[in-house]
């Protein structure tokens, strides 16, 4: 999470504090995609790369994780994300204070809280923002399951992190306008807690109709819904592993 978030949050800081001269929205999407790719490569062998609390909770609900692993993974995600926010704050400390003249705010012409956590666009209702986060996370888990389903197209293991990064990039390119696409409680809540402690105050929790809970609840519900959709529409229609392997062996014999 530290690896992933430093790339992502620093890209937002560079765009905001550089006033659009050192990057655009596309560069933020690309940085988050690169961060996710490298994060999965880094942690894949240790935990299977649990970087998203919504996916971790879903794995636990499905019975693939114990309580202890659930707690350990989410604690690691939150600590990594919090440290990433602190790192980016330190990295851009001078630029941050030059841009804001020392007035750290959630809204207004020199608002900077959105560097660290997501906030909905002014034109979007709370219901619309919730639905956006929910839908984007459904797309995230569907893409994730497609990439990792060996019974389907059997994507090479080494290519999965790259494709997962492209998946996050794609979500940002198409579904980022309304909410800034948190799609991950671990990406949103720890930096929000950091900003509350670092000078932005409790406005980070009360702003936009107390928006802070949406990037927690909507991604978890989206993940659970996405798993059901995947099982009904794709997984139940795949052949069992042994049948697939038998066909592969037969194909290999015919080729020989």
């Amino acid at each position: 999470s530290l690896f992933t978030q430093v790339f992502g949050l620093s890209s937002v800081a560079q765009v905001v504090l550089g006033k659009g001269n050192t990057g655009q929205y596309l560069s933020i999407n690309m940085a988050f995609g690169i961060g996710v790719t490298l994060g999965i490569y880094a942690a894949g062998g240790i935990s299977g790369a649990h970087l998203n609390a919504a996916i971790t909770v879903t794995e636990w609900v499905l019975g693939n994780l114990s309580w202890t692993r659930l707690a350990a993974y989410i604690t690691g995600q939150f600590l990594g994300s919090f440290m990433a926010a602190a790192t980016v704050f330190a990295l851009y400390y001078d630029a941050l204070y030059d841009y804001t003249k020392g007035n750290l705010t959630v809204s207004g012409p020199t608002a900077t809280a959105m560097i660290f956590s997501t906030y909905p666009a002014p034109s979007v209702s709370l219901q619309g923002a919730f639905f956006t986060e929910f839908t984007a996370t459904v797309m995230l888990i569907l893409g994730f399951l497609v990439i990792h389903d060996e019974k389907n197209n059997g994507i090479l293991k080494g290519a999965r992190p790259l494709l997962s990064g492209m998946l996050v990039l794609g979500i940002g390119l198409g579904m980022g306008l309304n909410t800034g696409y948190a799609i991950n409680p671990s990406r949103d809540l720890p930096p929000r807690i950091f900003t509350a402690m670092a000078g932005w105050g409790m406005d980070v929790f009360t702003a936009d109709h107390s928006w802070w809970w949406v990037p927690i609840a909507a991604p978890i519900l989206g993940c659970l819904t996405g798993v059901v959709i995947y099982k009904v529409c794709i997984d139940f229609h795949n052949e069992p592993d042994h049948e697939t392997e038998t066909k592969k062996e037969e194909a290999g014999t015919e080729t020989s």
Side-chain angles (χ1 to χ4, degrees), residues 35-59:
V36 167
T37 298
L38 293 175
I40 296 173
Y41 274 124
I46 300 169
S47 68
H50 278 262
L51 305 175
N52 186 329
I55 294 177
T56 303
V57 168
T58 301
E59 287 282 294

Side-chain angles (χ1 to χ4, degrees), residues 109-227:
T110 58
T112 45
M114 73 291 208
I115 289 173
F116 299 92
S117 293
T118 64
Y119 294 86
S123 59
V124 181
S125 67
L126 189 64
Q127 294 90 337
F130 188 99
F131 182 68
T132 300
E133 282 293 315
F134 173 84
T135 305
T137 316
V138 168
M139 294 298 107
L140 175 72
I141 193 67
L142 285 175
F144 181 83
L145 291 169
V146 167
I147 290 166
H148 289 80
D149 190 348
E150 293 183 0
K151 291 189 294 181
N152 204 340
N153 282 321
I155 293 166
L156 290 173
K157 193 172 182 180
R160 290 173 189 171
L162 181 59
L163 291 169
S164 298
M166 289 176 64
L167 170 63
V168 171
L169 169 61
I171 290 170
L173 290 175
M175 288 174 269
L177 175 65
N178 289 347
T179 62
Y181 72 111
I183 58 174
N184 180 356
S186 308
R187 173 261 177 274
D188 197 81
L189 183 58
R192 197 179 297 275
I193 294 170
F194 173 82
T195 49
M197 297 167 62
W200 283 266
M202 293 307 290
D203 280 356
V204 300
F205 289 104
T206 58
D208 298 303
H209 307 289
S210 299
W211 157 259
W212 69 272
W213 64 272
V214 176
I216 299 171
I220 291 173
L221 289 173
C223 263
L224 292 168
T225 304
V227 167

Side-chain angles (χ1 to χ4, degrees), residues 84-107:
T87 301
V88 171
F89 180 77
L91 184 68
Y92 281 113
Y93 182 85
D94 294 334
L96 194 60
Y97 274 83
D98 179 65
Y99 181 81
T100 62
K101 303 297 183 275
N103 184 28
L104 304 178
T105 59
V106 175
S107 57

Side-chain angles (χ1 to χ4, degrees), residues 73-87:
Y73 288 164
I74 290 181
T75 300
Q77 291 163 16
F78 274 49
L79 286 174
S81 188
F82 186 90
M83 289 302 296
T87 301

